[in-house]
Amino acid sequence: MASKVRLYVDHPLGEGQSVPLSRDQAHYLFGVMRLGEGTVLSLINSRDGEWDAEIVKAGNKGGILTCQAQTRPLQTPPDLWLVFAPIRKERTAFIVEKAVEMGAARIIPVQTDYTQGANRIRQDKLQAHAVEAAEQCGGTFVPPVDDLQKLDRILADWPADRQLMFCDEAKIGDPIGLPDLRGPWAILIGPEGGFSPTEREKLHALPYSHPVSLGPRILRADTAAVAALTVWQQALGDWG
Ligand code: SAM
């Protein structure tokens, strides 16, 4: 039997709750997936877990679903942000997709000194990738993807209690060096050109910043993001 279609909706979910569909959602369910009235699918909304919902009205420009029963509770990831310098479009999309699968709670693209082509970043497209990734990986939570911000700006507003796993290519070959500190964290990944000397100096001086090595080889930024998420989740996250 084909697995149930999963759909993210920005609407409350609960027993007997009616959920209206947008034109795009109706097109996807009825046009692309060829589902009809009476079909049951899974809904998520980042707040109420996963619900079975039946299609009660299918139209060209919209439709209505009715929630039946909760099939999974909400599972939120650990309080981990992924802060990364965007790279080429499809590789940036890959980073967002993998961050959702690996369990990041917030995704923040940042402009660093050596970030290239950041003006081509579309927050709405990246958020749509995050939604799609959660729908496909069985997640019940979609992390928000922020608009691009300058690294200086985000560091200026940094919450005092949040540790920073600064993935520093200059630490190549050192032991990983992730301290066993519990609580909120963020991972920082640089662009293909790495961090500038000024940025590195600043990042080393911050009390909450922990320079970390990702092994004896230079990883591409997209690989580094997945590797850092793996290292953090295994040591301090919800994989244990
Ligand atoms: N151009 C840089 C160089 O040659 O040293 C490499 C930058 S690397 C492609 C992109 C980002 O991935 C780095 O800024 C860093 O955040 C992370 N990274 C890659 N390999 C790493 C490693 N072995 N240790 C720590 N961070 C690494």
Side-chain angles (χ1 to χ4, degrees):
M1 196 178 98
S3 63
K4 237 185 281 170
V5 169
R6 300 182 92 241
L7 188 72
Y8 173 87
V9 289
D10 185 12
H11 198 277
L13 304 175
E15 208 179 317
Q17 176 80 52
S18 273
V19 179
L21 295 173
S22 67
R23 181 192 278 254
D24 283 352
Q25 289 167 332
H27 172 72
Y28 170 69
L29 292 182
F30 314 135
V32 180
M33 301 306 291
R34 317 295 303 167
L35 305 183
E37 289 172 9
T39 307
V40 173
L41 54 126
S42 296
L43 295 183
I44 53 170
N45 67 353
S46 266
R47 300 189 294 272
D48 302 314
E50 179 191 80
W51 284 76
D52 269 353
E54 184 185 344
I55 300 170
V56 292
K57 194 162 171 231
N60 287 336
K61 295 179 185 160
I64 295 175
L65 308 180
T66 302
C67 289
Q68 295 175 330
Q70 192 188 46
T71 43
R72 293 174 59 199
L74 176 67
Q75 192 190 11
T76 49
D79 190 356
L80 174 67
W81 299 350
L82 176 67
V83 182
F84 74 102
I87 41 177
R88 276 189 294 142
K89 197 168 131 197
E90 68 285 3
R91 295 195 175 280
T92 300
F94 173 92
I95 291 175
V96 169
E97 181 184 296
K98 298 308 151 201
V100 176
E101 290 176 32
M102 306 285 290
R106 183 177 169 193
I107 300 171
I108 310 177
V110 280
Q111 168 116 43
T112 63
D113 289 346
Y114 298 160
T115 303
Q116 309 257 334
N119 52 352
R120 291 196 293 271
I121 286 296
R122 288 266 313 265
Q123 185 277 337
D124 57 337
K125 298 255 184 215
L126 293 181
Q127 187 67 69
H129 281 298
V131 165
E132 214 172 292
E135 287 170 348
Q136 280 173 15
C137 76
T140 51
F141 176 83
V142 180
V145 182
D146 289 20
D147 276 325
L148 182 80
Q149 10 189 335
K150 290 210 158 82
L151 179 61
D152 277 351
R153 187 63 231 246
I154 186 166
L155 293 177
D157 292 339
W158 198 261
D161 64 340
R162 186 172 293 275
Q163 310 298 327
L164 182 67
M165 177 177 173
F166 161 37
C167 296
D168 181 1
E169 62 272 11
K171 303 282 283 179
I172 194 163
D174 285 5
I176 297 176
L178 182 65
D180 187 12
L181 293 170
R182 304 289 152 157
W185 272 85
I187 290 170
L188 175 63
I189 303 287
E192 290 306 319
F195 292 99
S196 70
T198 321
E199 287 170 338
R200 178 163 296 106
E201 198 180 322
K202 190 168 185 179
L203 286 161
H204 275 276
L206 296 169
Y208 52 80
S209 165
H210 308 278
V212 159
S213 165
L214 297 175
R217 287 165 286 272
I218 294 186
L219 307 177
R220 275 190 352 194
D222 46 347
T223 317
V226 179
L229 285 157
T230 309
V231 164
W232 189 91
Q233 283 287 22
Q234 197 276 328
L236 300 171
D238 62 9
W239 289 18

